């Protein structure tokens, strides 16, 4: 199966999306949690500048090469919230210098995405994360 690395994150009916392929080719744990968070957020992965540096063609299809983004957060054309989100995602895979204080920049949707990724990151998918009552 051939997938264009510059293709948008949506595919034709029956064809896996770029996001689905990135998640499928990610190793369990940190890489999978980071890929899922990035795919779910959507706006960062939609940028050509990010895809060009992040996605490489692996043995099993497109894969995330997180190191490609190292030191380049300020040259990607991201707004403050996107940069904070991506910095925290890079922190999941052990790259970058963003502290958890960066969550102050996130809106509710992005914060919930990161919260849902924490059990995946910890290899404990039994914990459910939802809204508080």
């Amino acid at each position: 199966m051939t997938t264009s690395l510059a293709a948008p994150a949506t595919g034709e009916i029956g064809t896996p999306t770029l996001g689905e392929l990135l998640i499928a080719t990610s190793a369990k744990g940190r890489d999978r949690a980071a890929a899922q968070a990035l795919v779910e957020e959507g706006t960062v992965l939609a940028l050509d500048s990010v895809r060009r540096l992040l996605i490489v063609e692996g043995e099993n299809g497109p894969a995330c090469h997180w190191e490609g983004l190292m030191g380049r957060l300020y040259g990607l054309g991201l707004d403050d919230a996107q940069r904070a989100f991506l910095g925290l995602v890079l922190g999941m895979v052990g790259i970058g210098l963003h502290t958890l204080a960066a969550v102050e920049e996130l809106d509710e949707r992005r914060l919930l995405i990161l919260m849902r990724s924490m059990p995946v990151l910890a290899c404990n998918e039994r914990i459910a994360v939802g809204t508080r009552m």
Side-chain angles (χ1 to χ4, degrees):
M1 167 186 351
T2 304
T3 302
S4 169
L5 298 182
T10 58
E12 296 177 19
I13 296 174
T15 303
T17 65
L18 176 59
E20 290 168 340
L21 292 169
L22 291 175
I23 293 168
T25 58
S26 296
K28 294 231 186 260
R30 295 187 294 172
D31 286 342
R32 174 90 33 103
Q36 284 177 334
L38 194 61
V39 168
E40 187 176 343
E41 191 274 343
T43 68
V44 173
L45 189 57
L47 296 171
D48 288 334
S49 59
V50 172
R51 284 196 313 268
R52 192 171 36 255
L53 294 171
L54 173 67
I55 302 170
V56 298
E57 191 62 42
E59 285 182 21
N60 300 318
C64 294
H65 177 70
W66 301 104
E67 294 82 4
L69 294 173
M70 198 163 152
R72 303 220 170 131
L73 283 179
Y74 289 91
L76 296 172
L78 303 172
D79 64 30
D80 290 342
Q82 288 172 319
R83 190 172 23 264
F85 181 83
L86 182 56
L88 290 166
V89 168
L90 290 174
M92 286 184 199
V93 293
I95 298 172
L97 301 173
H98 275 70
T99 66
L100 282 176
V103 298
E104 294 174 339
E105 296 290 329
L106 303 180
D107 58 18
E108 189 174 299
R109 184 180 71 84
R110 288 185 177 113
L111 181 58
L112 186 56
I113 291 167
L114 285 179
M115 289 171 59
R116 282 194 301 259
S117 68
M118 291 298 136
V120 176
L121 183 61
C123 296
N124 182 348
E125 297 185 35
R126 294 175 298 155
I127 299 171
V129 177
T131 57
R132 287 187 287 191
M133 296 287 187

